[in-house]
Amino acid sequence: MKRNLVFLGVILSLLTYIFFFIEKEERTSYEEKKKKEQIINFSKLGSLKSLKTKTFSIKLGEDERYYSQKSNLLLNDEVIDYLFSELLKIKVLRKLDVNDFSLYLPKDPLKLEFSFEKGDLIFYLGNRVEVGAEFYLKIVDQGKESLVLCKKEGAFSSQSEKDKVSAPYNNFKSLISIKEEALYEKRPLKYFKSIKKIALKNFRNSLYSIDFKLNKIDYNYKFKTQIIEKKIKRFKENLFKLSAKRIIKEKGSLKDEIGHITVNVLNLSVFKKFNDEIGYFLQFKDLVFEIDSYFFRTIFAHPQDFIDKKLGAQKVVLNNSGIENKKLMPFFQKDAYMLSPVYELNKDDLKLIRTDIGDIYLKEAGNEVIFYNSSKMIAYHFLEKLK
């Protein structure tokens, strides 16, 4: 209901600007002017159902979200909000008393078609005035035609004075001529109104799940660890930001599944091939999204991305490693890239560092530095060398 009120409120605000204005020179009362200049009776129209132009169509779904009238695809609410915020910048200067509307309109004018519960409304974009940024707008309400002079407010950057004059009009034309594909919601997880739980499995990670309500991860870490709740929260926030490169409309064959996702109770799969194309292709119901490697890596986060991977030592008591304390301390304070369980610790090949959290043993192995926490029996791996 809230979404519907917002949608309706934006449109009615726009219509109020267009259909109701007060001539400054009139000395009549506010109510008399309102009755005189109000072309549309909103109470008789009812709630707004859709908006259509030559290039796109918008409808409000039962779930109070925006959809394409033609393809029924979910639309990006941020883009739609921007679209209507720009429409709200159209201001009426005055109503014109004319009989021949063709003098003020191009041969095939662009139009906006509003469909309300109890009637329809059409705006026709007229010509721009010869001198100035103003333009004409023809309004058809229940068969009744009117013509008003308008302008679009806002700052427009241009290189010449001529362009500055025409920029507002051209901007409005491009706004109502936007391609429908530009309105599509390309963030797959936005198709879910809420995400309570997600389960993930791919060629790199075994199956694990995250309960966002409980901030709990169901996974066998094989060692005692601490879940960082704000990392779970950040992961969930990022899920809604992940955007696909495109939505694939044509039918095709998906092959080589490389990942499986369950969001709440619905299943999504990632494939390596779509027909002859090679990449990352996310299938959700009857939709296929082409995603990139960043999307794939982000959504298939490693279970260890949500745990505390810091050694946490604050002080070195005894150092037999031959490495200066100032070079060791940064490793104690930052996340390792990976933790692993230690079942048996062979101390003969390791260097002892006694700290305020217990004995830590150091091993340098090629491009990797490993610290062993002997009390927790956990190895902390860093993909870097001690300098």
Side-chain angles (χ1 to χ4, degrees), residues 209-352:
S209 64
I210 304 174
D211 188 318
F212 293 111
K213 186 176 181 179
L214 301 176
N215 286 320
K216 180 182 177 182
I217 296 180
D218 186 5
Y219 179 73
N220 181 15
Y221 283 101
K222 298 181 180 178
F223 49 81
K224 187 177 181 180
T225 188
Q226 179 183 353
I227 302 295
I228 306 298
E229 291 187 2
K230 64 181 179 181
K231 290 187 176 182
I232 294 177
K233 181 180 179 181
R234 189 181 306 121
F235 174 72
K236 183 180 180 181
E237 291 172 350
N238 289 335
L239 288 178
F240 292 107
K241 298 176 184 178
L242 291 173
S243 182
K245 296 164 69 174
R246 61 177 172 136
I247 299 175
I248 302 175
K249 292 184 178 181
E250 62 268 23
K251 299 293 182 181
S253 175
L254 291 161
K255 299 177 182 178
D256 299 341
E257 184 175 353
I258 55 175
H260 187 81
I261 308 163
T262 301
V263 180
N264 300 332
V265 295
L266 294 176
N267 295 317
L268 301 81
S269 297
V270 181
F271 296 85
K272 194 65 180 175
K273 295 179 181 178
F274 177 80
N275 293 337
D276 296 329
E277 296 183 62
I278 297 177
Y280 298 93
F281 303 96
L282 175 67
Q283 182 184 39
F284 169 51
K285 293 184 177 180
D286 57 347
L287 297 177
V288 176
F289 299 85
E290 183 185 5
I291 61 176
D292 56 19
S293 58
Y294 171 78
F295 188 120
F296 183 83
R297 291 194 309 270
T298 302
I299 197 166
F300 286 104
H302 195 280
Q304 290 196 15
D305 291 347
F306 305 98
I307 64 174
D308 183 3
K309 292 186 286 185
K310 292 183 176 70
L311 275 159
Q314 300 289 332
K315 182 180 179 182
V316 175
V317 179
L318 175 67
N319 185 355
N320 291 335
S321 68
I323 308 296
E324 295 179 72
N325 290 355
K326 65 180 182 180
K327 293 182 178 180
L328 293 172
M329 291 306 296
F331 287 90
F332 296 165
Q333 300 303 316
K334 63 184 177 182
D335 278 335
Y337 90 90
M338 184 184 74
L339 307 187
S340 63
V342 178
Y343 301 105
E344 185 177 349
L345 191 60
N346 185 357
K347 302 177 182 179
D348 295 337
D349 299 328
L350 307 177
K351 300 172 183 178
L352 172 65

Side-chain angles (χ1 to χ4, degrees), residues 71-88:
S71 66
N72 209 37
L73 284 172
L74 181 67
L75 303 182
N76 186 310
D77 55 356
E78 294 166 13
V79 176
I80 297 300
D81 288 345
Y82 170 77
L83 174 67
F84 284 108
S85 69
E86 288 298 302
L87 288 177
L88 280 171

